[in-house]
Amino acid sequence: MDLFAADRLRLVEAPPPRLSPRDRRAMDDAWDAAVRANPALFDGPVAGCTGLERDARHGLVLTWVRATYRYYVPREVPGATVRLPSLFVSVAQPADDGRLLIGRMASWTTSPGRWQLPGGSVEPPPDGEPLDLTALRRHAARELAEETGVDTPADDLVPWQITRGAKGSVGVLFQAPPRPAAWLRERHTALTAAERALGRVPELDRLALVRSPTDLADLTGPHVSYLAPVLRRHHGIPHR
């Protein structure tokens, strides 16, 4: 897991991924099987990440492409020649006591039971509009509200860290202003009640406040690989 500062980031759009007829058939077959296993899956538009490189002038340059969710499936298909890493945004929402808010993915999601920061996959902008830090900030604020019930103006989110996982997936993390711990839980409780009244289950079915990587051992279920390094960075713990 790599961590980079997010204060100097430039995003550059590249041509969409090109698949051979064989790879496209394998991708479509794998996607159809995934949908049969989880009918809640939706092949909506996403912005995939094809590169993250250091640049002396801009700090970091992130290359992205327009795709749909099915393009992520070949990452699990043996022999696939195109493996598109994901691009996502997350929000480090601290409580007033310094702990960070994390959530557990609901059973209907693609990663049931997994703990992570509030956030989600990045959607590509309409043709002619840029995908930049301002757009990512707006997307992060929307994800925070939809998943936790915490409404925070996008301009109050500060670019903080960029994570890159072992499979190349890249996350752009923002810091939100601290909020009272009890209020954070109240907002999610209200969101959950409103969703269940409509016959839906929230994407994050449970919240927790954690202070350090050692707190993750008390949680039931897996957590994303970036979570421990981010917690260490948040609380100034030296990297091991």
Side-chain angles (χ1 to χ4, degrees):
M1 171 58 61
D2 298 319
L3 287 179
F4 308 92
D7 56 338
R8 294 171 60 214
L9 175 66
R10 183 166 65 98
L11 291 94
V12 177
E13 183 175 2
R18 300 181 64 178
L19 277 67
S20 68
R22 175 181 174 276
D23 281 342
R24 181 168 291 277
R25 285 194 300 270
M27 178 184 70
D28 291 342
D29 290 345
W31 175 258
D32 291 343
V35 171
R36 287 194 296 270
N38 183 1
L41 295 180
F42 170 65
D43 193 25
V46 292
C49 177
T50 56
L52 182 67
E53 299 179 352
R54 293 186 182 275
D55 179 87
R57 180 179 178 184
H58 299 285
L60 284 174
V61 176
L62 187 156
T63 306
W64 66 276
V65 297
R66 297 173 186 268
T68 65
Y69 279 100
R70 73 173 59 220
Y71 279 84
Y72 291 157
V73 173
R75 293 181 296 188
E76 310 301 329
V77 176
T81 58
V82 176
R83 300 175 184 271
L84 181 63
S86 60
L87 173 62
F88 62 93
V89 291
S90 292
V91 179
Q93 173 61 70
D96 49 8
D97 60 5
R99 292 179 295 171
L100 282 187
L101 182 74
I102 62 174
R104 186 180 67 181
M105 298 291 283
S107 60
W108 59 268
T109 64
T110 56
S111 302
R114 188 181 71 184
W115 292 89
Q116 61 183 53
L117 295 175
S121 298
V122 173
E123 298 177 2
D127 289 339
E129 295 187 14
L131 182 62
D132 52 19
L133 269 178
T134 298
L136 295 181
R137 185 185 282 111
R138 290 196 298 266
H139 187 63
R142 185 170 68 250
E143 292 284 348
L144 180 65
E146 291 177 352
E147 295 184 352
T148 69
V150 176
D151 289 309
T152 298
D155 289 343
D156 289 349
L157 299 181
V158 179
W160 181 42
Q161 298 291 322
I162 295 174
T163 70
R164 181 172 58 189
K167 296 183 179 181
S169 293
V170 170
V172 181
L173 277 57
F174 296 86
Q175 279 185 320
R179 304 276 195 159
W183 184 84
L184 291 173
R185 295 188 183 279
E186 289 170 1
R187 294 306 303 155
H188 186 254
T189 298
L191 172 68
T192 299
E195 289 289 286
R196 292 192 182 280
L198 297 173
R200 300 193 294 251
V201 177
E203 190 168 354
L204 299 180
D205 64 5
R206 183 181 168 191
L207 298 184
L209 290 166
V210 292
R211 187 174 303 280
S212 71
T214 58
D215 293 340
L216 300 178
D218 297 329
L219 303 175
T220 301
H223 55 79
V224 291
S225 59
Y226 68 73
L227 200 49
V230 165
L231 282 170
R232 284 194 290 268
R233 182 67 57 87
H234 177 66
H235 291 287
I237 302 173
H239 181 71
R240 293 181 297 176

